[in-house]
Amino acid sequence: MNYLTVIDDTLHYSASVKPIELYVFLDPYCKDCWSLQPLLRKLQVEYDHYFTLRIALKTSMTKLNVPSLLDPKDAKTTKRSNPCFPSIAVKAAEFQGKRAGFRYLSSLLEYSFLKKRDVASFSVLVEIAARINLDVDEFITDFTSEETLRALQVDLYLGNEMEVDEAPTFVFFNSNIEDEGLKVSGLYDYSIYEQILEELVGGQLLPDVPPSMDSLFTRFDLLTTKEIAEMCRMTEKEADRELKKRILKQEIERVCVPERTLWRKKQPNCSLIK
């Protein structure tokens, strides 16, 4: 497979027609995929006017040997656990919107690698759905539907077609349907992905206008001070000052975990991570 991709320097595009299609393959059990989240969020904030993002799951087939779908009316359902459940849950969340699916996956990785919870447990997956304000009843219904399993199979098909062997993997496509994709497997510095986008666009990248801090908390869930500072293009000291103002207004809350401090939009009756 030849991954060289060339874009004509004369390429023009509007806000509704983006020159790059970006597929990002992630695995709910992959620690590198958890580490990738800040990078991916920053890439979206700064450059998503250049690309259309599609999150796909790269899941081991052995994890997909589901004996039967869950019955949402079965009270024992909440006690069940299966290694394939996290992948099914992400696709179920996507039925409530692309952004809902991305936020669910981010929270799932947080529960797994930060909170050390068992994300193979159905009850934990429902808890995550409630945590990010999904319609829980709809989530459970979609979790048990054949359409969700078909959506997961589509991801697996795409991974096979693009010869994706590991997660995380980025696959970039330009506007020329005859060109093959540019595949980047593994986790690299942010500058590497910027360089790739710049090469594919065929010119200097122009970052989007920095978002407001409030819009970041609407778009994403847990954020570090460093992330917020970088995306809002301010110093960490300035970001910390603004965050403390919002704490006083009870708009956000501080989440203290080992070796880091995270911030999120304040939610009613929601306790902090212990």
Side-chain angles (χ1 to χ4, degrees), residues 63-107:
K63 294 187 177 74
L64 296 178
N65 294 323
V66 192
S68 62
L69 289 175
L70 294 174
D71 180 358
K73 298 179 181 179
D74 182 0
K76 297 180 180 179
T77 288
T78 56
K79 299 180 181 179
R80 296 185 61 179
S81 177
N82 191 300
C84 73
F85 283 179
S87 298
I88 295 174
V90 173
K91 304 314 292 185
E94 286 182 358
F95 279 93
Q96 296 188 41
K98 180 180 176 182
R99 183 170 292 184
F102 182 71
R103 291 184 71 238
Y104 188 91
L105 176 58
S106 295
S107 293

Side-chain angles (χ1 to χ4, degrees), residues 1 3 22-25 36 162-172 181-189 192-197 199-200:
M1 184 174 181
Y3 297 114
L22 173 57
Y23 289 79
V24 180
F25 290 85
L36 179 73
M162 298 179 193
E163 301 177 10
V164 174
D165 299 318
E166 63 180 283
T169 291
F170 284 57
V171 184
F172 300 82
L182 171 61
K183 184 174 71 171
V184 182
S185 300
L187 181 60
Y188 298 92
D189 291 338
I192 298 298
Y193 301 100
E194 284 185 301
Q195 291 172 19
I196 293 170
L197 277 176
E199 180 182 339
L200 294 178

Side-chain angles (χ1 to χ4, degrees), residues 149-168:
L149 285 182
R150 280 198 289 268
L152 183 54
Q153 291 295 334
V154 169
D155 281 7
L156 298 177
Y157 172 80
L158 289 172
N160 290 333
E161 285 294 299
M162 298 179 193
E163 301 177 10
V164 174
D165 299 318
E166 63 180 283

Side-chain angles (χ1 to χ4, degrees), residues 23-188:
Y23 289 79
V24 180
F25 290 85
L26 303 174
D27 184 340
Y29 290 99
C30 172
K31 191 167 186 178
D32 277 351
C33 293
W34 157 245
S35 302
L36 179 73
Q37 298 305 299
L39 182 152
L40 190 54
R41 286 192 285 259
K42 186 179 178 183
L43 202 63
Q44 287 178 275
V45 165
E46 292 197 328
Y47 300 120
D48 73 352
H49 51 290
Y50 288 108
F51 63 85
T52 299
L53 176 65
R54 164 78 183 272
I55 300 295
L57 298 181
K58 177 62 181 174
T59 306
S60 171
M61 290 300 295
T62 59
K63 294 187 177 74
L64 296 178
N65 294 323
V66 192
S68 62
L69 289 175
L70 294 174
D71 180 358
K73 298 179 181 179
D74 182 0
K76 297 180 180 179
T77 288
T78 56
K79 299 180 181 179
R80 296 185 61 179
S81 177
N82 191 300
C84 73
F85 283 179
S87 298
I88 295 174
V90 173
K91 304 314 292 185
E94 286 182 358
F95 279 93
Q96 296 188 41
K98 180 180 176 182
R99 183 170 292 184
F102 182 71
R103 291 184 71 238
Y104 188 91
L105 176 58
S106 295
S107 293
L108 188 151
L109 291 165
E110 167 212 328
Y111 266 61
S112 179
F113 295 105
L114 196 61
K115 299 179 71 173
K116 308 299 182 183
R117 299 287 299 279
D118 179 14
V119 294
S121 166
F122 182 71
S123 61
V124 171
L125 297 172
V126 171
E127 180 183 329
I128 295 172
R131 165 69 189 81
I132 64 169
N133 294 320
L134 294 186
D135 183 318
V136 174
D137 290 337
E138 182 179 339
F139 172 80
I140 293 173
T141 299
D142 289 332
F143 189 95
T144 62
S145 72
E146 292 184 4
E147 287 78 8
T148 296
L149 285 182
R150 280 198 289 268
L152 183 54
Q153 291 295 334
V154 169
D155 281 7
L156 298 177
Y157 172 80
L158 289 172
N160 290 333
E161 285 294 299
M162 298 179 193
E163 301 177 10
V164 174
D165 299 318
E166 63 180 283
T169 291
F170 284 57
V171 184
F172 300 82
F173 291 94
N174 67 15
S175 57
N176 187 345
I177 61 174
E178 295 182 358
D179 288 339
E180 295 191 22
L182 171 61
K183 184 174 71 171
V184 182
S185 300
L187 181 60
Y188 298 92

